[in-house]
Amino acid sequence: MNNFLIWPESGMRTAMGGMLAVLIVVKSSSAHFPWLVCDESKSPATVEVYFAEYAEPGQAELVENIKAAKVRPVTSTGLAEALALKVGEDGLIGKLPKSDVPRLLVLEHDYGVITRGEDTFLLRYYAKTGPELGSEAWSKVSVSDHLPLDIVPTREGNKVALQVNWQGRPAEGAEVHVAGPNIEEMKVNTDDTGVVEFPVGDTGLYSIRARHVVSESGEHGGKKYDEVRYYTTLALRIGETDEAKQAAAYPEIPAPITSFGAAVAGNSVYAYGGHTGDAHSYCFDDQSDALYQLDLAKGSDWKRAARGPHLQGLSLVSHDGKLYRVGGFTAKNEVGDEHDLHSQDSVACFDPQSGQWQDMPALPEARSSTDAIVMDGKLYVVGGWKLSGLEKTGEWHETAWALDLNADPASAKWEALPKPPFQRRALALAAHNGRIYAIGGMAKKGGVTTAVDCYDPATETWSSGPALIGKPMNGFGCSACTLDGKLYVSCLDGTVQRLNDGGSAWEIAKKLDEGRFFHRMLPTDDHRLLLVGGSNASAEKQTGVEVVDVAGE
């Protein structure tokens, strides 16, 4: 730790800043508090008691000041016998009995009466620790009956909330200090519900302490005092989020790709085609021809399920366990040559059972930079343009189409939808509440946009929807899908936006560390989304599969 806070027992200078953290660099001595640090990975499991400013070894000789401290395990059934402690190299050390039930550890110690300037007070210390945050011990074991000043941690994504209780009730205005790996040390006061929050930095051990002062006169050890100062420390191990653990279980995609198609069918994620080269540079060899599959149930590596034409700017959707590939463009030029780009009208169906592609009725016109979705057994295609060889600009489409996938393939044909009130490409398409949402993209006139338009098949009409939150680039190359009856959009600024229940506005469901565009966001179960491929704002292609948990959001 590089910066230290001067606390009352070592001459604190007070600086008030509401709920803002106040940092003071120590230039002399620092305060000391008892800390419990448990290592249940050892056999037998051990607990150490440090007397220091943080939950780490301090001056070993100072531990003599707290040799009388009592350390007890706590389970859901109550308080166990105090542990036998001995003086070790860095502090007090004790062995923990085996336990098959969740448990926490608590410490209590009356330090004695202290005089600082004109203040004479009784100093009472408490400490608490347990397994990594997220363990059921933190939700199933309560120590409020044993610690008058208690700190209860809970985690939500990359933030931790600390509920500070005094005698079982929220402690408003309690002083809390937090230090940990790769976070700025902070000193805050609890709000009227007894809560403070802090952002998680790196994984590791966090040193947290709370202070509560009671105006109470009395006598202890033959010395009189005018108030009692209570301190509780919490040594808290914080690991990776559930999302990070889940993401670590999924291997990276085999090749860095943008502008590709992806869909979920059965227990697998499929990704087809895409651009593998540098931004704005296209050639035949930099377009993938592979259909990759990731089995989510088995947790195995990606495998190549099939091959097809070299394409990017295409769509891939699923219906009744099969995949449908729609449009895209092929670069016929070699690397370094003038771009020779051709949009395609091809549509094909892939059956995972047979591993074969089957041609479907071709689109009425070639198109790429489009998107597609299936709703009520119909395949809808909206947006995009037509690239025709060496021409520098594409032909923007004014049409939209639907194909009945339940019809006989021999007689199935594309049906024109009413003319959309826009011409956009690099947009996202999603089906929600019986309507087709055309989200964002780049407009023929006006450039990138967050505009949203909706098509209602029941009335065969288009209408305007609420624009996405944020700058226009949030709509460019975004990705959308529905999950558990909600419509979500993943944007370049890192926001995962959700349409509200009334369909009148977007709200922020999640804020990711880094956003993507020209990627795909896919639903996996009732509360998790997968972000696959694409690139970030620095045009760096992303190969990791990111899991976004929207449960309870």
Side-chain angles (χ1 to χ4, degrees):
M1 305 289 181
N2 296 320
N3 295 324
F4 297 89
L5 204 70
I6 300 180
W7 282 70
E9 279 62 57
S10 46
M12 180 177 70
R13 296 196 306 263
T14 302
M16 298 302 294
M19 289 296 292
L20 298 177
V22 182
L23 301 179
I24 305 171
V25 177
V26 167
K27 296 183 179 180
S28 56
S29 60
S30 57
H32 295 82
F33 308 89
W35 300 89
L36 286 174
V37 178
C38 179
D39 187 354
E40 299 216 31
S41 65
K42 294 182 178 179
S43 184
T46 59
V47 59
E48 292 191 77
V49 183
Y50 304 132
F51 193 55
E53 186 150 2
Y54 303 96
E56 58 189 26
Q59 295 173 267
E61 64 275 12
L62 294 181
V63 80
E64 292 287 337
N65 293 313
I66 57 166
K67 276 193 350 180
K70 301 295 183 182
V71 176
R72 295 181 174 89
V74 185
T75 68
S76 58
T77 60
L79 203 63
E81 293 292 326
L83 302 179
L85 302 175
K86 64 179 182 180
V87 177
E89 183 177 346
D90 297 315
L92 302 177
I93 187 169
K95 295 180 180 179
L96 281 170
K98 290 183 179 181
S99 176
D100 296 325
V101 296
R103 66 181 172 188
L104 302 176
L105 294 171
V106 297
L107 172 148
E108 57 180 321
H109 178 65
D110 278 353
Y111 191 83
V113 176
I114 303 293
T115 298
R116 290 287 184 269
E118 297 181 356
D119 298 326
T120 300
F121 52 88
L122 175 62
L123 187 56
R124 283 184 168 160
Y125 283 138
Y126 299 91
K128 177 179 177 181
T129 194
E132 183 175 290
L133 185 58
S135 164
E136 61 180 359
W138 295 102
S139 59
K140 289 189 174 182
V141 180
S142 172
V143 303
S144 293
D145 291 340
H146 317 297
L147 299 187
L149 182 62
D150 189 19
I151 307 171
V152 182
T154 55
R155 182 173 187 170
E156 182 61 43
N158 287 320
K159 287 187 177 181
V160 171
L162 303 174
Q163 174 69 57
V164 181
N165 295 323
W166 168 247
Q167 294 183 343
R169 295 184 177 182
E172 180 181 358
E175 187 178 88
V176 179
H177 180 275
V178 180
N182 199 26
I183 68 166
E184 186 177 33
E185 288 187 44
M186 55 187 288
K187 185 182 76 175
V188 297
N189 292 91
T190 56
D191 61 17
D192 56 2
T193 66
V195 174
V196 298
E197 288 186 344
F198 68 90
V200 177
D202 292 338
T203 60
L205 189 63
Y206 284 67
S207 302
I208 302 163
R209 61 181 182 252
R211 175 180 184 259
H212 182 73
V213 179
V214 176
S215 295
E216 176 184 310
S217 300
E219 185 175 319
H220 178 86
K223 297 181 179 179
K224 294 183 178 180
Y225 57 85
D226 301 316
E227 65 180 22
V228 183
R229 297 185 183 181
Y230 293 85
Y231 285 94
T232 290
T233 65
L234 173 63
L236 184 64
R237 293 192 186 278
I238 299 180
E240 294 180 321
T241 62
D242 290 340
E243 293 97 323
K245 291 177 182 178
Q246 185 80 28
Y250 294 139
E252 295 184 340
I253 55 177
I257 50 175
T258 58
S259 300
F260 60 103
V264 175
N267 290 321
S268 293
V269 170
Y270 293 87
Y272 184 88
H275 181 235
T276 61
D278 295 333
H280 311 300
S281 177
Y282 309 112
C283 67
F284 185 80
D285 289 338
D286 285 345
Q287 290 182 310
S288 173
D289 65 348
L291 174 68
Y292 288 109
Q293 175 190 7
L294 174 65
D295 191 322
L296 298 173
K298 294 181 180 179
S300 56
D301 206 347
W302 291 85
K303 70 176 185 179
R304 191 174 62 214
R307 287 189 181 278
H310 290 245
L311 290 169
Q312 72 181 82
L314 72 148
S315 299
L316 190 73
V317 297
S318 66
H319 175 64
D320 284 348
K322 296 181 180 180
L323 301 170
Y324 294 84
R325 187 192 76 228
V326 182
F329 79 86
T330 300
K332 295 186 177 181
N333 57 285
E334 300 296 326
V335 60
D337 291 346
E338 186 176 3
H339 288 163
D340 186 12
L341 313 180
H342 296 262
S343 295
Q344 305 296 310
D345 63 3
S346 62
V347 180
C349 174
F350 179 79
D351 186 347
Q353 298 301 315
S354 67
Q356 300 297 315
W357 289 102
Q358 177 184 356
D359 288 339
M360 298 287 292
L363 288 164
E365 73 270 284
R367 84 172 51 208
S368 56
S369 194
T370 182
D371 206 6
I373 194 68
V374 175
M375 186 176 76
D376 296 334
K378 284 190 175 182
L379 172 60
Y380 292 85
V381 179
V382 178
W385 63 0
K386 178 183 177 181
L387 300 172
S388 303
L390 299 178
E391 295 182 12
K392 299 300 183 183
T393 58
E395 175 188 341
W396 293 74
H397 286 306
E398 297 180 336
T399 57
W401 301 92
L403 178 68
D404 188 351
L405 298 179
N406 296 322
D408 185 345
S411 59
K413 62 180 182 180
W414 289 93
E415 299 175 353
L417 301 182
K419 182 180 176 180
F422 59 85
Q423 288 177 277
R424 300 204 300 270
R425 64 177 184 87
L427 74 170
L429 217 62
H432 176 62
N433 283 350
R435 298 199 293 176
I436 305 297
Y437 283 75
I439 304 167
M442 175 176 282
K444 182 179 181 180
K445 297 181 180 180
V448 293
T449 179
T450 56
V452 174
D453 290 273
C454 306
Y455 175 70
D456 187 342
T459 61
E460 298 185 337
T461 57
W462 287 93
S463 60
S464 296
L468 295 173
I469 300 169
K471 296 181 179 180
M473 281 296 290
N474 267 355
F476 189 47
C478 62
S479 186
C481 68
T482 54
L483 177 69
D484 193 27
K486 304 288 187 180
L487 175 57
Y488 293 89
V489 180
S490 170
C491 302
L492 180 59
D493 68 352
T495 57
V496 176
Q497 302 185 24
R498 178 179 53 222
L499 190 64
N500 68 7
D501 290 339
S504 60
W506 296 91
E507 56 194 19
I508 306 299
K510 281 283 186 180
K511 182 65 173 75
L512 309 179
D513 292 336
E514 188 171 50
R516 307 185 188 202
F517 66 155
F518 294 101
H519 63 299
R520 292 291 177 175
M521 180 173 68
L522 304 167
T524 59
D525 55 25
D526 61 354
H527 62 92
R528 275 188 285 265
L529 300 162
L530 291 186
L531 301 187
V532 182
S535 62
N536 61 18
S538 301
E540 296 174 347
K541 284 184 166 64
Q542 305 297 294
T543 57
V545 177
E546 185 172 1
V547 180
V548 181
D549 193 330
V550 291
E553 296 293 337

